Amino acid sequence: TFHDLGVNIETKDIAPEEGANADEIISNILHAKGHKLDPEQIQNRTKQKREEYRRLSKASIIPETAQLIDRLQKNSVKLGLVTGSIISSLKHVVDDEFLGKFDVIITSDDVTETKPSPEPYLVAAEKLNVAPENCVVIENAPKGIESAKRAGMKCVALRTTIKDDAILSKADVIVDHALEVDIHSL
């Protein structure tokens, strides 16, 4: 996606940006690498990145995460899925059966401001009819953690894609995998 600009993207470039929408991630990374593109150029790069992602991605739901979702659903916990992705990218990774487990799904298509703004989580809480202070967010991305905390919610960070606790440090609790999550202890 950035080859023609001579930009090489590494995991260390992406990790701090995880959780934001694609336009913001691309803009921030390119700015850090000394490139400033106008909004239309950013959108074109985002479209190109999404096409590459769909072509190359083997992303799927981590089994422990699916088990946690099932456990929470069986215990009648209201479930919301909040992502900085657009709905078509989300549906590339998960099927309708999995999405059907959630009472509310909020994507970047549904909000004016994306993570790290608190808006996505506040919209989800409102649609779930749950006060923000009674919500527990399970996140794996620093921008998502910041969004949850700014919304006044408790947050558990998963060391799934990011293992560096310093990047996840704004969460209330950090765990290795979803089956360690105990929402009642928060």
Side-chain angles (χ1 to χ4, degrees), residues 64-77:
E64 291 86 1
T65 300
Q67 290 172 19
L68 173 63
I69 300 297
D70 288 342
R71 184 176 79 204
L72 294 172
Q73 188 180 34
K74 286 176 186 164
N75 286 302
S76 300
V77 173

Side-chain angles (χ1 to χ4, degrees), residues 31-92:
H31 184 263
K33 301 273 186 179
H35 295 273
K36 183 167 174 37
L37 303 180
D38 66 43
E40 185 178 339
Q41 291 172 312
I42 294 293
Q43 289 174 350
N44 289 337
R45 296 289 170 158
T46 298
K47 182 180 176 188
Q48 185 181 2
K49 177 242 166 227
R50 285 183 177 134
E51 289 169 2
E52 285 296 307
Y53 174 79
R54 288 184 182 120
R55 187 174 69 79
L56 299 172
S57 176
K58 294 176 178 40
S60 63
I61 297 299
I62 298 168
E64 291 86 1
T65 300
Q67 290 172 19
L68 173 63
I69 300 297
D70 288 342
R71 184 176 79 204
L72 294 172
Q73 188 180 34
K74 286 176 186 164
N75 286 302
S76 300
V77 173
K78 291 182 180 181
L79 297 174
L81 186 141
V82 178
T83 178
S85 294
I86 60 174
I87 192 68
S88 61
S89 292
L90 178 62
K91 287 186 173 190
H92 179 75

Side-chain angles (χ1 to χ4, degrees), residues 3-181:
H3 181 74
D4 63 312
L5 297 174
V7 174
N8 183 33
I9 306 295
E10 299 177 38
T11 302
K12 68 180 176 66
D13 300 319
I14 297 171
E17 300 297 327
E18 284 280 337
N21 73 28
D23 286 350
E24 185 178 334
I25 292 171
I26 289 169
S27 180
N28 290 347
I29 290 174
L30 288 178
H31 184 263
K33 301 273 186 179
H35 295 273
K36 183 167 174 37
L37 303 180
D38 66 43
E40 185 178 339
Q41 291 172 312
I42 294 293
Q43 289 174 350
N44 289 337
R45 296 289 170 158
T46 298
K47 182 180 176 188
Q48 185 181 2
K49 177 242 166 227
R50 285 183 177 134
E51 289 169 2
E52 285 296 307
Y53 174 79
R54 288 184 182 120
R55 187 174 69 79
L56 299 172
S57 176
K58 294 176 178 40
S60 63
I61 297 299
I62 298 168
E64 291 86 1
T65 300
Q67 290 172 19
L68 173 63
I69 300 297
D70 288 342
R71 184 176 79 204
L72 294 172
Q73 188 180 34
K74 286 176 186 164
N75 286 302
S76 300
V77 173
K78 291 182 180 181
L79 297 174
L81 186 141
V82 178
T83 178
S85 294
I86 60 174
I87 192 68
S88 61
S89 292
L90 178 62
K91 287 186 173 190
H92 179 75
V93 177
V94 295
D95 59 25
D96 288 337
E97 180 182 349
F98 181 79
L99 293 176
K101 296 175 187 248
F102 295 91
D103 301 294
V104 168
I105 297 172
I106 304 296
T107 69
S108 64
D109 302 312
D110 302 312
V111 293
T112 305
E113 296 181 16
T114 58
K115 301 172 187 178
S117 165
E119 182 185 355
Y121 282 115
L122 291 173
V123 169
E126 182 179 329
K127 289 185 181 246
L128 288 168
N129 198 28
V130 176
E133 62 271 15
N134 293 329
C135 293
V136 176
V137 173
I138 302 169
E139 261 291 352
N140 69 334
K143 300 287 186 182
I145 294 166
E146 183 178 347
S147 176
K149 296 308 294 177
R150 289 177 63 196
M153 301 175 180
K154 295 173 184 72
C155 185
V156 177
L158 297 177
R159 286 185 200 103
T160 52
T161 55
I162 298 172
K163 309 293 186 200
D164 186 345
D165 283 3
I167 294 174
L168 304 173
S169 66
K170 291 182 181 176
D172 297 292
V173 177
I174 302 172
V175 297
D176 286 318
H177 59 79
L179 294 180
E180 293 179 50
V181 173

